[in-house]
Amino acid sequence: MTDKTRRKELGYNYAHSHRPMGVYRIVNTGNDKMYVGSSLNLDGVWNKHKFMLDIKGHDNKALQEDWNERGEAGFRFEVLEQIKPEEDFVADVQELKKYRKMLPDMESKWLEQLSPYGERGYHKQK
């Protein structure tokens, strides 16, 4: 197998493999306040949050204020629960839809368990 063929195969396999999916939290290490969320791409969502916070464009204003004061070093990213995919490869968008439907219930469970509201977190009580 040539290097070019091998690179193509690796690229195809990466593009059609599952990313880590599930529920995460961002924790302020100074006061333990947390932000809880869910994503079909846990690796990518942390990068997205950091980017938005770094450009001062995050939609959660309280989290943004604390990030402005403390910077990235004042926070940690944790995966709370992951979805174990039933298949190894993503054949089409329909497969991802079933996992997307699982996320709201998983996230709600963690929001209820951790209560990241008021002094404990960056969420507004519903």
Side-chain angles (χ1 to χ4, degrees):
M1 185 180 299
T2 67
D3 282 346
K4 186 175 181 179
T5 305
R6 180 73 179 135
R7 280 195 308 268
K8 263 184 143 172
E9 180 183 328
L10 289 171
Y12 177 86
N13 289 343
Y14 177 78
H16 289 85
S17 63
H18 285 286
R19 306 293 174 270
M21 305 174 278
V23 180
Y24 64 91
R25 71 178 170 177
I26 300 169
V27 181
N28 181 325
T29 58
N31 60 18
D32 289 328
K33 284 179 77 168
M34 66 187 91
Y35 178 92
V36 176
S38 60
S39 177
L40 291 174
N41 183 347
L42 291 170
D43 296 333
V45 77
W46 178 223
N47 288 330
K48 177 186 171 190
H49 281 291
K50 288 190 297 186
F51 176 77
M52 295 308 292
L53 289 160
D54 285 342
I55 65 166
K56 297 178 179 22
H58 201 278
D59 58 353
N60 188 297
K61 299 307 174 202
L63 176 60
Q64 182 69 66
E65 287 175 18
D66 285 354
W67 183 275
N68 293 347
E69 287 178 22
R70 302 180 53 77
E72 182 179 345
F75 291 84
R76 72 176 180 272
F77 180 82
E78 298 175 352
V79 174
L80 298 171
E81 184 176 4
Q82 277 191 262
I83 295 173
K84 175 79 173 109
E86 297 169 5
E87 61 285 309
D88 292 332
F89 288 101
V90 179
D92 58 30
V93 177
Q94 294 301 323
E95 286 181 6
L96 287 177
K97 283 184 178 179
K98 69 180 170 187
Y99 298 115
R100 183 175 284 121
K101 288 179 183 175
M102 297 169 71
L103 291 175
D105 289 339
M106 288 174 68
E107 185 176 330
S108 292
K109 176 187 81 172
W110 283 99
L111 286 168
E112 186 177 321
Q113 183 177 334
L114 297 171
S115 292
Y117 309 104
E119 294 300 313
R120 294 182 44 85
Y122 295 104
H123 295 270
K124 302 238 185 299
Q125 190 83 41
K126 292 181 180 175

